[in-house]
Amino acid sequence: MINIAVLGYGTVGSGVVSLLDKNAASISGKIGQDIKVKYILDIRDFGGDPFGSLFVKTFDTIVNDPQIAIVVEAIGGTGAALEYTRRSLEAGKSVITSNKELVAEHGSDLIKLAMSKEVNYLFEASVGGGIPLIRPLAECLSANIISEIYGILNGTTNYILTSMKKDNASFDDALFKAQQEGYAESDPTADIEGHDTCRKICILASLAFGRHIYPNEAPTTGISNVSISDMLYAKSLGYEIKLLGRAKAVGDKVAVYVAPHLISTLHTLSGINYVMNGVMIRGNAVGSVLLCGPGAGKMPTASAVAGDIMNAAKHLKARKWIGWSDADKGFAADPELLDSAWYIRTDAPRDKIERVFGSVIFANDGLSDADRISNAKNAENTFITSVINGSKVDELLSHGIFAKSKFRVLGDH
Ligand code: HSE
């Protein structure tokens, strides 16, 4: 029997405890022994909870118990979660987490610590919820040289963008629903402003390119500036708007960023809706691989955490190589150097736009009559530029064209 402790009994922690209980027979059949939740640590009281007898209020009980082989950190954040993770690893216990903030900020240190103690630090659930992503990238695709990873990595924002477009929901109603479903972070700003996506793409980039990319090295824009009009203009041009995290090799560096993109309706990612996430990985042997599935939610996340618990239980005496090393300064390239076409919405007149940008594709021609009339009243133009880098587009806009919206258009992949 393997004894484990679960730190934090929120959405993720309670999902893990319930899954381990529900599928206990199948899980022990697969790994050849039982997994027993011996403790649940939470400072809150959960009167009447079926696992009430397992609750403890002090971490010392867990870290000082030599029977505990695996600790599941489901506290979140980088305060107590960091301290308890370090102390668990130092005590020779493997740690499993869904905490992307902790992995993105402190991953290389914690991986190093786990290695020195010959235990595992596993974080499958930190990116893409229930989608198998970390292990396929670290193991199945490890023979490839990865050139690019990009994808929809946040269920809450994808849910909001989809509901606004398909269900005519307001931003606030869609956010409320995502919160009710347990998808959103406790502070939804991290979802809406792209920080959650940023942490996840940094983890994937670190794993794929072997060096730690920190969130403050990845310029991040969220969805608060995406309007319904942008979605309609994009649609008239044959595109959806999705929040993407992207990591692309640039020589021996990697450019990582998060921003809303226009994606062709012919691209598979454009059909990834609501809470689903989808990640495209491009390797020099495999070509393009798309992994998609539920990117958030209690039980999909519990599925990934429980898979890691089973993996750690099977490898209690063997290190799994899932990780990366520290990066030299300057490993992160400036994403402004990346070329793309750009979507611009502006009040500037067409003749001026064409004078400054040359040949462009205007969206207005594809709109319905009603939209065109209201557009004409607003004197608004939207267009797609030729393929230029981020510095060039800003330089051209500085010729008196104020962009109310400016998004990259994902190229052909
Ligand atoms: N808030 C996150 C999301 C949860 O919406 O994707 C899963 O990481």
Side-chain angles (χ1 to χ4, degrees), residues 77 106 124 139 161 165 173 178 202 228 235 255 258-259 373 382:
H106 299 279
E124 182 65 60
E139 294 180 345
L161 292 175
K165 175 139 180 284
D173 286 350
C202 284
I228 282 280
K235 186 175 164 219
V258 175
I373 291 161
T382 52

Side-chain angles (χ1 to χ4, degrees), residues 108 209-214 217 252-254 325-333:
S108 59
F209 297 100
R211 299 270 182 279
H212 200 129
I213 297 277
Y214 290 89
E217 298 173 303
D252 55 2
K253 300 182 179 190
V254 182
S325 338
D326 261 334
D328 296 332
K329 225 177 157 37
F331 183 60

Side-chain angles (χ1 to χ4, degrees), residues 22-23 44 55 58 65 182 207 234 263 307 316 331 333 353 373:
K22 184 174 160 203
N23 289 359
R44 298 166 293 180
F55 280 87
T58 157
D65 184 339
L207 201 52
I263 304 183
L316 273 187
F331 183 60
I353 293 167
I373 291 161

Side-chain angles (χ1 to χ4, degrees), residues 100 126 129 153-157 183-185 191 196 200 277 295-297:
K100 51 251 164 181
S126 65
L153 290 165
N154 182 267
T156 302
T157 46
Y183 304 146
E185 299 298 305
D191 296 299
D196 180 77
K200 291 167 176 167
N277 284 191

Side-chain angles (χ1 to χ4, degrees), residues 58-299:
T58 157
F59 176 67
D60 289 349
T61 311
I62 293 166
V63 78
N64 293 329
D65 184 339
Q67 284 188 343
I68 294 293
I70 298 171
V71 172
V72 176
E73 184 272 297
I75 300 172
T78 56
L82 176 59
E83 183 199 330
Y84 296 167
T85 299
R86 279 203 178 120
R87 289 178 59 195
S88 300
L89 294 171
E90 270 157 8
K93 302 175 193 306
S94 287
V95 175
I96 312 300
T97 190
S98 60
N99 185 341
K100 51 251 164 181
E101 189 176 358
L102 192 62
V103 179
E105 295 287 355
H106 299 279
S108 59
D109 285 348
L110 295 171
I111 290 160
K112 219 183 299 169
L113 178 56
M115 279 177 77
S116 72
K117 297 291 173 182
E118 296 186 345
V119 291
N120 286 299
Y121 182 53
L122 303 177
F123 41 88
E124 182 65 60
S126 65
V127 185
I131 311 172
L133 198 46
I134 300 289
R135 221 170 302 144
L137 189 53
E139 294 180 345
C140 318
L141 297 173
S142 59
N144 286 262
I145 295 170
I146 305 293
S147 56
E148 182 170 11
I149 300 179
Y150 61 90
I152 298 165
L153 290 165
N154 182 267
T156 302
T157 46
N158 204 36
Y159 190 94
I160 292 172
L161 292 175
T162 310
S163 293
M164 282 170 71
K165 175 139 180 284
K166 284 191 184 293
D167 313 330
N168 264 334
S170 69
F171 186 98
D172 289 343
D173 286 350
L175 170 60
F176 182 71
K177 186 96 190 291
Q179 286 172 313
Q180 296 290 99
E181 299 282 342
Y183 304 146
E185 299 298 305
S186 46
D187 175 2
T189 318
D191 296 299
I192 293 157
E193 298 306 336
H195 305 306
D196 180 77
T197 299
C198 175
R199 291 164 188 150
K200 291 167 176 167
I201 191 67
C202 284
I203 294 171
L204 294 181
S206 303
L207 201 52
F209 297 100
R211 299 270 182 279
H212 200 129
I213 297 277
Y214 290 89
N216 65 7
E217 298 173 303
T220 294
T221 309
I223 63 163
S224 47
N225 289 330
V226 178
S227 67
I228 282 280
S229 356
D230 288 319
M231 292 181 180
L232 293 176
Y233 285 128
K235 186 175 164 219
S236 78
L237 287 156
Y239 295 94
E240 297 281 345
I241 301 184
K242 298 283 188 190
L243 182 67
L244 295 187
R246 188 169 175 221
K248 186 167 168 48
V250 181
D252 55 2
K253 300 182 179 190
V254 182
V256 183
Y257 70 94
V258 175
H261 283 66
L262 268 67
I263 304 183
S264 162
T265 50
L266 302 176
H267 191 298
T268 328
L269 279 185
S270 75
I272 307 268
N273 287 320
Y274 296 104
V275 73
M276 302 294 270
N277 284 191
V279 181
M280 192 69 88
I281 302 170
R282 290 157 63 85
N284 68 341
V286 73
S288 294
V289 173
L290 175 70
L291 297 165
C292 63
K298 180 171 176 149
M299 295 321 285

Side-chain angles (χ1 to χ4, degrees), residues 7 18 22 27 37 48 50 91 94 96 104-105 109 144 177-178 214 251 253 280 312 317 346 354 372 384 392 412:
L7 315 183
S18 133
K22 184 174 160 203
I27 288 171
V37 179
S94 287
I96 312 300
E105 295 287 355
D109 285 348
N144 286 262
K177 186 96 190 291
Y214 290 89
K253 300 182 179 190
M280 192 69 88
K317 304 221 174 315
T346 178
E354 284 174 321
R372 259 203 300 268
I384 293 190
K392 181 70 183 169
D412 294 336

